[in-house]
Amino acid sequence: MAHSETPQGRDLEETQENARELFKKYRGLGLRLTDKHAKDVDFIDVRGTLGVADLFVLATARSDVHLKTLQEEALEYLEDHFPSVRREGETSTRWRLLDAGDVVVHLFSAQARDFYRIERIWGDAPTERFQDPDEA
């Protein structure tokens, strides 16, 4: 019996397919961030781990001004799709968070992203590096 035919294999395939659907659902957010030149935009499906959010979006800014620009872009997207958005770290030059309930956006300076390594905390969760279609 092939690995994908085992119950664990089917569960893994289903989990990966569900994650792909979730990532597609928020493709517009990834596009908005990459259009503003965000680096290393990662989508992490945290549904099976946290219970308070479905998706973490991580992105790296190139400067303080860029961090603010990415925050404004992500906030506009989230406000168009969710009834409320909670903000954290609005004056920080290292990390900003936008929490729309189902989607939480983490925006980092390069140094903060390297320091916190949030993606490693959910190393077993389905993750996808968002690719700007213009650069693929």
Side-chain angles (χ1 to χ4, degrees):
M1 183 179 278
H3 177 71
S4 64
E5 294 174 9
T6 66
Q8 296 84 6
R10 281 193 302 274
D11 289 346
L12 179 60
E13 286 176 19
E14 185 176 329
T15 298
Q16 290 171 337
E17 180 59 32
N18 289 339
R20 281 190 292 273
E21 289 301 314
L22 178 67
F23 300 154
K24 274 192 227 175
K25 181 177 179 181
Y26 293 105
R27 182 177 184 271
L29 177 57
L31 286 171
R32 302 259 318 241
L33 291 169
T34 58
D35 282 350
K36 294 296 181 184
H37 307 288
K39 291 176 44 184
D40 303 330
V41 178
D42 289 332
F43 286 3
I44 304 173
D45 180 349
V46 294
R47 290 178 291 191
T49 59
L50 284 179
V52 296
D54 292 343
L55 179 70
F56 274 7
V57 178
L58 285 62
T60 305
R62 300 168 193 253
S63 68
D64 297 351
V65 172
H66 192 220
L67 186 62
K68 183 175 178 5
T69 300
L70 294 178
Q71 178 187 3
E72 290 168 355
E73 196 68 23
L75 182 60
E76 185 177 299
Y77 175 91
L78 293 172
E79 287 178 339
D80 286 347
H81 293 85
F82 296 94
S84 67
V85 180
R86 189 172 59 90
R87 304 174 206 180
E88 295 287 333
E90 285 194 278
T91 60
S92 173
T93 60
R94 296 176 47 83
W95 168 80
R96 310 237 176 132
L97 179 134
L98 301 169
D99 181 351
D102 291 345
V103 177
V104 178
V105 178
H106 297 267
L107 303 170
F108 295 98
S109 68
Q111 297 82 9
R113 178 113 181 230
D114 187 52
F115 178 79
Y116 290 109
R117 299 180 186 217
I118 286 183
E119 53 271 39
R120 289 189 184 198
I121 294 170
W122 290 278
D124 292 339
T127 302
E128 177 177 283
R129 172 73 41 99
F130 186 83
Q131 294 295 316
D132 183 343
D134 294 336
E135 295 180 11

